[in-house]
């Protein structure tokens, strides 16, 4: 099979039926006849907007020929980064089709805590091995959770156990559903294929920067839960892990609480995938002696622009073409103190969302629907923080640091209305009194003012340095009316649970997983961590 890279597809050609257009492009590029081509398969598709006068798609395509010997002849005419013969390997299977080691029943029934991506993939893997896992989730199923999030956004009334952070799907359920990740793992394909098997669109398998969107993700989660139950797993919602009973340094039982009723269950293996915001659980785990340490992370605010301005900045005159997706960006700049400023978790056509689980605190994040058709683009604008900033060497001092910022914002605003400042005002060091072109998307609403009410001065100084530089790289990024809504304090966990290479804590039978444990930074990396634990541990 020949793998052809950097195949150029114009924006107008992208509207044509895929198979026919790929055959035509390949024939032209490889200088062969279309009738020589046996099969074509799109591997990757990305937008190439480096030259604003020639925005197009760049494709990687696998092609086989009716005459097999053509592969080598053609490959000899190209550089390996343009076209190369590759082995036809079987595609990575989804989790339901993969081969699994049978679970050793002597280990008893495993308990998985948390139904975010880490817990869900761990439970699915265990179920495929025949372990009949019990998956407990303190929040509600995704169908009920939507109503609780809606009440928060409409009325500012928080459900502490069912919100954007807690409930089926974890922190990622009300997200943009970006499925990119920095890992280089063969299991990424299994995760993507499993999402696809549960109803995610096929394009996630080929897009350079795949995303699902919160609307589609919620349906995928329901299907995944059904598959888990079909495989013998059990899911209990509104069910919280409140204690572990240890014997000789190993897990012997777990205390779980559901609808006010506490139950002790005998269990030897507990997979702890509780995310970065289960602060109550962190505290009792620390008291129990579960080893953990401080971890650096990053804080800042969400920046919002009009999506059409970002499109113009990225695509030039091609902006608005029906085949082009809403434009994305990723920017970073070093700062003299080494912290750096960078954009993170960009949501094209998205909205800023409150991501809190406790009263008296404000933390924002971003989400979008599959169509990414909102008026604004948003992204976290983050500045690195380090354990020296936390003011104590207690392993949970990073949580206290986050809380101070979140509580200052809440106190200043007198509720969940988040502080918001125009970029021009931030650069001039003055309060915002009125909005301009960009309207904030955050609900239950914003309080105009100065982000100095909650964010440390090193963050604001770093912004003043970075914003003009970002504006030079992406026209309009530092536009006067762009908005900063904050604070965003939970970009990742401020804590890392210590674990052995097999993911087990020093407490035998306890496996801290995913983002809360400090080993993942997004949906896919958390899912891969959970999957590997369920497969191997
Ligand atoms: C609004 C938002 C948008 C995001 N957008 C993206 C994105 O587009 N792409 C991306 O890759 N990442 C995104 N992220 C980050 C991503 O969601 C997380 O990295 C990921 O969900 C972490 O997975 P996890 O399974 O480790 O933890 P979580 O998803 O946080 O799941 C932990 C679960 O454990 C449960 N739990 C906690 N304590 C207990 C207990 N004691 N008993 C029982 N259950 C418990 C919680 O209720 C929660 O459901 C976003 C996050 C947010 C908040």
């Amino acid at each position: 099979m020949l793998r052809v890279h950097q195949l150029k597809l114009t924006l107008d050609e992208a509207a044509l039926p895929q198979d026919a257009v790929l055959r035509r492009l390949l024939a032209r590029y490889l200088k062969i006849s279309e009738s020589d081509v046996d099969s074509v398969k799109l591997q990757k598709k990305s937008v190439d907007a480096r030259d604003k006068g020639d925005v197009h798609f760049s494709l990687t395509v696998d092609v086989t020929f009716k005459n097999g010997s053509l592969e080598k002849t053609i490959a000899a005419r190209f550089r390996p980064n343009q076209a190369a013969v590759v082995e036809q390997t079987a595609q990575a299977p989804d989790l339901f089709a993969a081969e699994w080691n049978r679970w050793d029943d002597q280990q008893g029934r495993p308990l998985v805590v948390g139904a975010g991506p880490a817990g869900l993939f761990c439970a699915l893997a265990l179920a495929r091995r025949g372990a009949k896992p019990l998956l407990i989730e303190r929040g509600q199923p995704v169908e009920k959770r939507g109503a609780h999030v809606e009440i928060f956004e409409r009325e500012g009334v928080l459900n502490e156990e069912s919100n954007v952070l807690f409930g089926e799907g974890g922190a990622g359920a009300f997200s943009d559903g970006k499925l990119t990740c920095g890992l280089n793992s063969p299991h990424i394909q299994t995760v993507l294929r499993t999402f696809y098997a549960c109803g995610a669109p096929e394009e996630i398998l080929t897009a350079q920067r795949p995303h699902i969107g919160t609307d589609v993700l919620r349906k995928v989660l329901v299907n995944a839960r059904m598959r888990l139950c079909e495989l013998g797993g059990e899911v209990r919602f509104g069910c919280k892990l409140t204690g572990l009973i240890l014997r000789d340094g190993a897990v012997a039982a777990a205390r779980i609480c559901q609808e006010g009723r506490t139950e002790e269950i005998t269990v030897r293996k507990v997979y702890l995938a509780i995310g970065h915001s289960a602060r109550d659980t962190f505290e009792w785990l620390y008291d129990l002696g579960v080893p953990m340490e401080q971890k650096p992370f990053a804080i800042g605010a969400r920046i919002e622009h009009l999506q059409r301005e970002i499109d113009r900045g990225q695509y030039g005159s091609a902006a608005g073409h029906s085949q082009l997706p809403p434009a994305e960006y990723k920017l970073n700049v070093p700062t003299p103190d080494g912290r750096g400023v960078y954009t993170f978790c960009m949501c094209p056509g998205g909205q800023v969302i409150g991501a809190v689980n406790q009263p008296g605190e404000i933390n924002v994040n971003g989400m979008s629907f599959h169509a990414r058709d909102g008026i604004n683009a948003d992204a976290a604008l983050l500045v690195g923080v380090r354990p020296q900033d936390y003011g104590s060497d207690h392993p949970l001092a990073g949580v206290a640091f986050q809380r101070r910022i979140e509580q200052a914002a809440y106190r200043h605003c007198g509720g969940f209305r988040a502080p918001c400042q125009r970029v021009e005002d931030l650069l001039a060091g003055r309060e915002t009194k009125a909005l301009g072109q960009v309207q904030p998307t955050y609900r239950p609403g914003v309080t105009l003012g100065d982000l100095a009410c909650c964010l440390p001065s090193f963050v604001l100084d770093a912004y003043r340095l970075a914003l003009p530089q970002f504006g030079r790289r992406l026209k309009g990024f530092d536009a006067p009316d762009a908005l900063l809504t904050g604070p965003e304090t939970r970009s990742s966990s401020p804590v890392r649970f210590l674990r052995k290479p097999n993911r087990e804590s020093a407490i035998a039978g306890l496996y801290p997983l995913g983002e809360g444990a400090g080993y993942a930074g997004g949906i896919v990396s958390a899912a891969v961590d959970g999957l590997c634990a369920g497969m191997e541990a």
Side-chain angles (χ1 to χ4, degrees), residues 112-121 135-140 145 160-181 210-213 217 236 238-243 256-257 272-282 284-285 302 344-347 351 353-356 363-368 372 488 490-492 513-527 529:
V112 182
V113 186
L120 182 62
F121 274 79
L135 170 61
I136 61 167
E137 165 56 56
R138 66 193 292 168
Q140 293 300 315
R145 208 180 154 192
E160 290 177 47
E161 296 295 337
S162 179
N163 46 57
V164 165
L165 295 167
F166 288 173
E168 185 175 25
F174 291 83
S175 76
D176 176 52
K178 270 176 289 301
L179 299 179
T180 44
C181 92
H211 95 107
I212 298 190
L217 192 53
R236 290 200 208 167
C239 184
K240 180 154 82 172
L241 180 75
T242 54
I256 60 178
C257 179
L272 195 67
I274 56 175
H276 58 33
S277 288
R279 293 168 172 175
D280 51 356
T281 310
F282 282 175
W284 68 252
L285 286 165
R302 279 265 143 182
F344 179 71
C345 188
M346 197 248 155
C347 299
Q351 68 192 65
I353 187 168
V356 279
N363 168 56
V364 302
N365 208 302
M367 63 159 254
S368 61
R372 286 180 163 174
E488 181 152 349
R490 308 197 196 175
S491 58
S492 78
L513 303 175
E515 181 154 32
Y519 295 94
I523 295 170
V524 173
S525 56
D529 199 43

Side-chain angles (χ1 to χ4, degrees), residues 145-154 162-164 174 353:
R145 208 180 154 192
H148 295 141
V149 171
E150 179 55 34
I151 291 173
F152 173 78
E153 297 200 325
R154 215 176 43 227
S162 179
N163 46 57
V164 165
F174 291 83
I353 187 168

Side-chain angles (χ1 to χ4, degrees), residues 248-305:
D248 302 328
V251 173
R255 205 169 294 126
I256 60 178
C257 179
Q258 190 172 18
E259 288 169 8
R261 213 169 54 87
T262 297
E263 189 186 339
E264 214 167 272
I265 53 172
T266 304
V267 63
R268 284 171 54 192
K269 289 213 167 189
V270 175
Y271 298 86
L272 195 67
I274 56 175
H276 58 33
S277 288
R279 293 168 172 175
D280 51 356
T281 310
F282 282 175
E283 275 165 24
W284 68 252
L285 286 165
Y286 172 76
D287 292 342
L288 191 69
V290 176
M292 53 182 88
E293 63 182 10
Q294 297 182 344
K295 176 180 152 300
F297 64 107
I299 59 168
R302 279 265 143 182
I303 187 158
E304 278 189 280
H305 303 89

